[in-house]
Amino acid sequence: MSNVRAQAAHTLFQVVDKGISLSVALPRYSRDLSPQDKALMQQMCFGVLRYLPSLEFYCQQLLEQPLKGKSRVYQFLLYVGLYQLQHMRVPEHAAVAETVNALKSMRATGLKGLVNAVLRNFQRRQIELEEQAQQIDACKYNHPGWFIKKLQRDYPNEWQTIIQNNQQQAPMWLRVNNRLNGRQAYADSLSEKGIEFTLDDQFADAIRLTKAMDVFALPGFADGACSVQDAAAQQAARLLAPQNGERILDACAAPGGKTCHILELADANVVALDADAQRLDRVRENLDRLNMDAELICAQAQDTDSWHKGEQFDRVLLDVPCSATGVIRRHPDIKWLRRGTDIDELAKLQAQILEAIWPLVKSGGVLLYATCSVLSEENQEQIKSFLAHHDDALHVPLHDADTTDQPGWQMLPGLTDGFYYAKIIKQ
């Protein structure tokens, strides 16, 4: 039987030191665990990634020297132990004992004394160490410095709230399939099962669950009655406003939530395009569960010569590759996998894709630009530059403060994920 804390340490080592995404590493290392242990491991991995600078600081104070080289994975086991002591409801004696026991399955029983001593020492010095950590910005905010600077620039009044919200567990939102039932009817079926939720009038298809749960315990999930999708992401199809019979492109479509939502709202001919064949399989799985169909194409969006067959589109949803800085609470590894230098590269790629896709939009057609970023380079600045260079691009305001000088709708992480939308009509 795999040891859950050992597997968490291996996962974190792969993410932080090897640059593997958590969504890849977590399933790999939790494969042999029970459902209960999988949930525990996810909680520990997410937690360590949320508070990594603080946990690193504690280890610096408690170890004579950091564990390096082949011993580096045991440094992450210490982080797992420290996170449990500081943030989890695991009884302290159990947190220490189980973390020490993990060394047996890691074949490093010689380190039991060291791990035990570090964790016991943290218990004795916890208040003092936490006070020291609060004096250091990296530990106070638990976000990389480059990202804090960009937030301070873009959101002088809100940056601390964004950071606080990034440290919270994201809510579980459902999208009701309007083809099968209305939102209220589905809400009633949740009530019958004793599942608690809230409704918000600004999100027409969305239901927010009070507590996250297994999707297959949701009424009708297997038959397509609902999907899991954040309310911010649900705005994509609503803002695109698909109509029956239209030809619609969902570029960068995987994993397919927005593709399916478009088809829930209209009988349209949808082309779902993505560069990643494996992720495109997820689009097919989602379509199959909802009993829907779209044309799937595996290609780079900007390489239109390789996939476009000449016919233009009535509407295009362009959910471009981005920094994903709006969904950090769902993917805390983003903080440590992203680099400040990535943002310029991503902005260049976004501009290339916009330029390549624009000719594919019919005259009078709509392009909806979307990112799950909160950074202006990828959002307002990108659209402002595009509008300035295209006389045939007409900016459509999505709210009162959406102007050509400050275009688009920026949603910040809180009630929903952080998302950006800008709508353009081709004249």
Side-chain angles (χ1 to χ4, degrees), residues 179 243-246 262-263 265-269:
R179 286 187 178 263
Q243 304 299 311
N244 292 341
E246 287 184 332
I262 290 166
L263 288 163
L265 297 178
D267 287 316
N269 302 307

Side-chain angles (χ1 to χ4, degrees), residues 29-42:
Y29 284 94
S30 62
R31 198 177 296 136
D32 300 328
L33 299 176
S34 68
Q36 195 175 354
D37 277 349
K38 277 183 182 174
L40 177 62
M41 180 172 156
Q42 178 170 317

Side-chain angles (χ1 to χ4, degrees), residues 5-306:
R5 288 161 179 83
Q7 297 304 86
H10 284 298
T11 301
L12 291 160
F13 172 69
Q14 290 294 318
V15 172
V16 179
D17 280 23
K18 301 296 182 186
I20 308 290
S21 118
L22 184 61
S23 60
V24 171
L26 196 58
R28 188 183 295 165
Y29 284 94
S30 62
R31 198 177 296 136
D32 300 328
L33 299 176
S34 68
Q36 195 175 354
D37 277 349
K38 277 183 182 174
L40 177 62
M41 180 172 156
Q42 178 170 317
Q43 187 183 0
M44 290 189 290
C45 289
F46 271 59
V48 169
L49 291 167
R50 283 190 179 121
Y51 293 98
L52 188 61
S54 296
L55 300 171
E56 287 175 337
F57 171 76
Y58 301 144
C59 274
Q60 283 168 7
Q61 308 307 306
L62 296 167
L63 281 170
E64 285 183 20
Q65 54 188 35
L67 299 168
K68 292 181 179 173
K70 288 181 180 175
S71 300
R72 177 74 175 147
V73 70
Y74 309 116
Q75 181 91 6
F76 288 96
L77 182 65
L78 283 172
Y79 297 159
V80 168
L82 291 167
Y83 175 73
Q84 291 169 86
L85 289 172
Q86 193 180 19
H87 296 286
M88 287 179 69
R89 291 178 182 169
V90 181
E92 290 192 357
H93 63 89
V96 174
E98 293 299 330
T99 304
V100 171
N101 285 342
L103 291 161
K104 189 175 175 184
S105 73
M106 297 173 87
R107 297 182 182 155
T109 50
L111 287 173
K112 277 187 170 185
L114 174 74
V115 170
N116 186 62
V118 168
L119 297 181
R120 295 283 183 207
N121 205 2
F122 176 74
Q123 284 178 284
R124 284 190 290 272
R125 297 179 56 192
Q126 184 169 349
I127 293 170
E128 165 209 343
L129 289 171
E130 286 174 350
E131 285 173 354
Q132 288 176 17
Q134 282 300 301
Q135 307 309 309
I136 302 163
D137 275 359
C139 300
K140 185 178 180 180
Y141 299 118
N142 287 293
H143 279 63
W146 70 264
F147 182 55
I148 293 173
K149 285 194 184 87
K150 284 185 182 293
L151 286 182
Q152 288 171 331
R153 176 202 66 196
D154 287 347
Y155 307 99
N157 301 318
E158 296 140 309
W159 67 274
Q160 285 176 296
T161 305
I162 294 169
I163 281 172
Q164 285 164 7
N165 288 336
N166 283 350
Q167 294 294 87
Q168 307 306 312
Q169 185 178 341
M172 183 169 174
W173 285 92
L174 305 181
R175 185 188 77 240
V176 176
N177 182 354
N178 279 288
R179 286 187 178 263
L180 297 184
N181 38 235
R183 183 172 74 159
Q184 190 55 56
Y186 191 74
D188 292 342
S189 68
L190 291 176
S191 295
E192 284 167 22
K193 287 228 170 196
I195 299 168
E196 293 181 12
F197 60 87
T198 54
L199 302 178
D200 190 316
D201 287 342
Q202 63 183 314
F203 307 121
D205 309 309
I207 297 177
R208 183 162 61 99
L209 298 185
T210 304
K211 200 166 70 176
M213 61 185 292
D214 176 15
V215 290
F216 289 103
L218 293 165
F221 179 82
D223 302 317
C226 72
S227 300
V228 176
Q229 186 182 38
D230 189 82
Q234 291 185 38
Q235 299 313 294
R238 282 287 175 184
L239 293 171
L240 190 68
Q243 304 299 311
N244 292 341
E246 287 184 332
R247 182 170 161 78
I248 296 174
L249 172 66
D250 182 2
C252 319
K258 299 179 187 74
T259 305
C260 292
H261 196 191
I262 290 166
L263 288 163
E264 287 170 11
L265 297 178
D267 287 316
N269 302 307
V270 177
V271 174
L273 177 77
D274 203 90
D276 187 325
Q278 270 188 308
R279 295 189 76 226
L280 212 51
D281 289 341
R282 291 273 311 282
V283 181
R284 173 55 62 202
E285 286 166 18
N286 280 316
L287 286 164
D288 288 348
R289 182 176 63 83
L290 293 163
N291 196 24
M292 291 171 173
D293 195 34
E295 182 185 349
L296 306 191
I297 298 175
C298 186
Q300 299 280 355
Q302 68 272 35
D303 186 14
T304 53
D305 288 346
S306 72

Side-chain angles (χ1 to χ4, degrees), residues 233-421:
Q234 291 185 38
Q235 299 313 294
R238 282 287 175 184
L239 293 171
L240 190 68
Q243 304 299 311
N244 292 341
E246 287 184 332
R247 182 170 161 78
I248 296 174
L249 172 66
D250 182 2
C252 319
K258 299 179 187 74
T259 305
C260 292
H261 196 191
I262 290 166
L263 288 163
E264 287 170 11
L265 297 178
D267 287 316
N269 302 307
V270 177
V271 174
L273 177 77
D274 203 90
D276 187 325
Q278 270 188 308
R279 295 189 76 226
L280 212 51
D281 289 341
R282 291 273 311 282
V283 181
R284 173 55 62 202
E285 286 166 18
N286 280 316
L287 286 164
D288 288 348
R289 182 176 63 83
L290 293 163
N291 196 24
M292 291 171 173
D293 195 34
E295 182 185 349
L296 306 191
I297 298 175
C298 186
Q300 299 280 355
Q302 68 272 35
D303 186 14
T304 53
D305 288 346
S306 72
W307 64 268
H308 185 235
K309 296 164 187 163
E311 197 178 340
Q312 289 181 303
F313 295 92
D314 296 286
R315 292 172 204 266
V316 173
L317 171 58
L318 195 54
D319 188 358
V320 290
C322 71
S323 63
T325 45
V327 292
I328 283 171
R329 60 186 187 175
R330 290 188 193 281
H331 306 282
D333 51 327
I334 288 165
K335 292 193 287 187
W336 318 118
L337 297 179
R338 277 275 169 262
R339 299 281 177 269
T341 49
D342 295 343
I343 308 306
D344 283 346
E345 291 303 309
L346 282 164
K348 280 179 197 162
L349 175 61
Q350 291 154 3
Q352 280 174 10
I353 295 173
L354 254 173
E355 288 294 335
I357 295 295
W358 185 241
L360 277 49
V361 181
K362 280 182 185 174
S363 180
V366 171
L367 183 142
L368 185 71
Y369 177 88
T371 77
C372 55
S373 168
V374 295
L375 301 179
S376 61
E377 297 101 310
E378 302 179 89
N379 297 342
Q380 294 90 346
E381 289 174 30
Q382 189 72 259
I383 295 303
K384 202 171 166 180
S385 172
F386 182 80
L387 293 170
H389 291 99
H390 293 82
D391 293 338
D392 59 348
L394 176 67
H395 163 247
V396 181
L398 299 176
H399 56 86
D400 291 345
D402 181 356
T403 65
T404 48
D405 282 339
Q406 197 64 16
W409 178 21
Q410 180 69 68
M411 306 172 78
L412 297 178
L415 178 64
T416 69
D417 289 343
F419 246 83
Y420 175 82
Y421 293 107

